[in-house]
Amino acid sequence: MPIYKLKINGQSYSVEADPDTPLLWVLRDHLNMVGTKFGCGIGQCGACTVHVDGSATRSCLLMISVVEDIEITTIEGLSDDASHPVQQAWKEIDVPQCGYCQSGQIMSAVAFLLQNKNPNREEIRDAMSGNICRCASYNRIEKAVEVAADKMG
């Protein structure tokens, strides 16, 4: 099996894996970064969202063979102490119910807010529409993105 050199959360890793192994499983099974969740495995739910060179990306669809030497950020890499403005907004609004989708929701929100510093409700709803929350916390998610935009602005 080949060895891949990965840059994740500002650190370098060497991982031995099959070329068609999804990044999600490398993160969880090889590197014990379990904040990124498995949801559907077909890129539809958003639970596995990470940043690849700053863009929100579904890690279940991204093979390890294409991410070598690309900067990857997981939920663990946003901050050491949950002090990122989006994480703070999530706590302030008390967004999670079961919490399973939240790392993917947060990673999508961060990538969106880096591109749009002052979004309106419709833009937030559109940006977050690719992330599914089975608990239907969508109103609180939208409110938390608004609060985070103010914090980041």
Side-chain angles (χ1 to χ4, degrees):
M1 272 192 282
I3 296 177
Y4 295 95
K5 294 183 186 332
L6 305 175
K7 293 191 290 189
I8 304 170
N9 301 330
Q11 296 184 21
S12 296
Y13 297 89
S14 291
V15 176
E16 183 177 354
D18 286 324
D20 61 349
T21 303
L23 176 61
L24 170 65
W25 299 118
V26 171
L27 294 171
R28 293 183 60 79
D29 295 345
H30 295 261
L31 301 174
N32 199 34
M33 294 182 193
V34 296
T36 304
K37 304 299 184 196
F38 172 78
C40 65
I42 59 172
Q44 298 298 305
C45 74
C48 68
T49 302
V50 299
H51 294 172
V52 176
D53 281 341
S55 295
T57 305
R58 304 299 193 245
S59 64
C60 70
L61 297 177
L62 194 60
M63 300 307 123
I64 189 173
S65 58
V66 300
V67 296
E68 195 166 31
D69 294 323
I70 295 174
E71 186 59 43
I72 299 162
T73 305
T74 68
I75 190 73
E76 293 92 346
L78 282 185
S79 69
D80 292 335
D81 58 359
S83 62
H84 189 282
V86 174
Q87 292 169 311
Q88 289 297 311
W90 244 247
K91 288 191 274 185
E92 183 178 322
I93 302 302
D94 196 25
V95 172
Q97 284 188 32
C98 83
Y100 195 82
C101 70
Q102 296 308 305
S103 63
Q105 298 277 1
I106 289 169
M107 295 305 284
S108 291
V110 169
F112 167 64
L113 291 173
L114 290 173
Q115 298 297 315
N116 187 340
K117 304 277 188 223
N118 190 24
N120 62 40
R121 242 325 137 108
E122 186 176 316
E123 291 168 327
I124 293 169
R125 188 168 288 163
D126 184 55
M128 299 303 293
S129 67
N131 290 75
I132 297 172
C133 175
R134 292 190 64 183
C135 300
S137 296
Y138 297 112
N139 291 331
R140 290 198 310 257
I141 290 166
E142 288 176 11
K143 180 64 179 166
V145 175
E146 286 179 341
V147 168
D150 289 340
K151 291 177 181 292
M152 292 173 71

